[in-house]
């Protein structure tokens, strides 16, 4: 075994994505002395402006949003004790169907090989033992999340073909049962919950039996909460923050993943992303 610390790289689309699905593992493995890296692919310019103003509305200044979200991202990574933050800086593409999808230079329009080449350079530099990204649908169909999936998997292939295989690759996900029973979870926490209207979209998350790693991050939910709170300009996290720390910790104390690449021969049911590497 090398004396080099074990290394986790989480590849995300926007500032704030690092907090919800991987904040716990980033904090946990940093506390264990591992090197942790967050790669954020877009600049977040399509996020909320002051007072929640949306792109295209009066008062939304994309460049000001970029600056604000960069500062928030740095504060979030500091809360999670992330070792290295890398921002690729591609323009945020906005939600699926927005005109910004096709804006010149947007991440959605960037050729996958171009972005994959940049990410591959980071993989070669940091030599992560574990890489975490999204599934083919980007979790919920956001174009930048889908593009992150494509770029990350292409970068892993690229470095592997040159003899630098990433030992383990995971997709961050949510158990389908958790999504289906969210109302019950809320009521158990004493929170009133109205079931949302059904939407014509692929269901979020994955069937429980397809999830291969259930990682306990209970001891790190305060850091996860702080990381999400650092992104104060964005309304997306307000629901979870309004739960308060105790309820947040009860709801967000496990992070789940699907292992899609492995060179260690570790069992497919894991409670640790570094099983087979320690």
């Amino acid at each position: 075994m090398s004396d080099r610390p074990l290394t986790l790289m989480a590849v995300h689309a926007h500032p704030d994505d690092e907090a919800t699905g991987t904040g716990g593992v980033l904090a946990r493995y940093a506390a264990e002395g591992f090197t942790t890296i967050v790669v954020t692919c877009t600049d977040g310019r399509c996020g909320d402006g002051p007072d929640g103003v949306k792109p295209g509305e009066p008062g939304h200044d994309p460049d000001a949003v970029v600056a604000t979200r960069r500062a928030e991202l740095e504060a979030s990574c500091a809360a999670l004790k992330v070792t290295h933050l890398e921002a690729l800086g591609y323009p945020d593409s906005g939600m699926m169907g927005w005109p910004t999808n096709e804006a010149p230079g947007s991440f959605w329009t960037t050729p996958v090989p171009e972005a994959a080449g940049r990410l591959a350079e980071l993989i070669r530099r940091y030599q992560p033992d574990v890489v975490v990204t999204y599934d083919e649908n980007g979790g919920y169909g956001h174009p930048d999340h889908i593009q992150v999936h494509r770029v990350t998997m292409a970068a892993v292939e690229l470095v592997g073909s040159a003899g630098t295989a990433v030992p383990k690759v995971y997709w961050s996900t949510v158990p389908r049962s958790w999504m289906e029973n969210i109302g019950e979870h809320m009521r158990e926490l004493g929170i009133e919950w109205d079931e949302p209207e059904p939407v014509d979209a692929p269901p979020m998350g994955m069937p429980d039996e397809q999830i291969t790693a259930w990682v306990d991050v209970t001891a790190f939910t305060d850091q996860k909460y702080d990381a999400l709170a650092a992104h104060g300009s964005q309304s997306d996290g307000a629901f979870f923050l309004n739960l308060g720390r105790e309820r947040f910790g009860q709801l967000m104390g496990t992070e789940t993943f699907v292992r899609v690449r492995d060179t260690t021969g570790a069992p497919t049911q894991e409670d640790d992303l570094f099983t087979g590497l320690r």
Side-chain angles (χ1 to χ4, degrees), residues 121-188:
E121 285 300 314
L122 295 177
I123 293 174
R124 293 188 188 99
R125 182 192 310 170
Y126 291 113
Q127 299 179 41
D129 302 284
V130 174
V131 169
V132 175
T133 190
Y134 313 121
D135 63 23
E136 303 101 318
N137 191 47
Y140 66 103
H142 192 295
D144 286 331
H145 287 239
I146 294 170
Q147 185 77 330
V148 166
H149 165 83
R150 295 171 178 170
V151 166
T152 304
M153 299 310 293
V156 168
E157 291 284 354
L158 191 60
V159 298
S161 67
T164 313
V166 176
K168 303 182 85 173
V169 179
Y170 293 86
W171 296 342
S172 176
T173 191
V174 178
R176 189 73 53 78
S177 63
W178 191 94
M179 297 300 302
E180 292 171 349
N181 298 322
I182 183 66
E184 183 179 343
H185 293 311
M186 293 296 105
R187 287 186 287 272
E188 287 174 354

Side-chain angles (χ1 to χ4, degrees), residues 4 28 199 243 277:
R4 182 182 64 86
R28 170 178 164 168
V199 295
L243 294 174
L277 293 166

Side-chain angles (χ1 to χ4, degrees), residues 16-95:
D16 75 7
D17 290 331
E18 78 291 338
T20 49
T22 60
V25 292
L26 287 165
R28 170 178 164 168
Y29 292 123
E32 292 186 28
F34 297 179
T35 298
T36 56
I37 303 139
V38 168
V39 180
T40 302
C41 292
T42 81
D43 58 11
R45 66 178 50 242
C46 290
D48 293 349
D51 299 319
V53 64
K54 305 298 182 184
E57 295 178 350
H60 189 278
D61 179 345
D63 291 337
V65 170
V66 168
T68 296
R69 298 195 73 183
R70 172 67 193 211
E72 291 175 341
L73 176 60
E74 291 173 355
S76 171
C77 287
L80 298 172
K81 308 299 184 186
V82 168
T83 315
H84 301 287
L85 168 62
E86 297 285 349
L88 298 187
Y90 289 103
D92 187 345
S93 309
M95 300 298 287

Side-chain angles (χ1 to χ4, degrees), residues 3 25 36 41 44 47 52 59 76 87 107 114 119 134 172 201 211 225 239 265:
D3 291 335
V25 292
T36 56
C41 292
S76 171
F107 190 47
E114 175 189 320
L119 180 59
Y134 313 121
S172 176
I211 294 173
Y225 185 95
F239 169 78

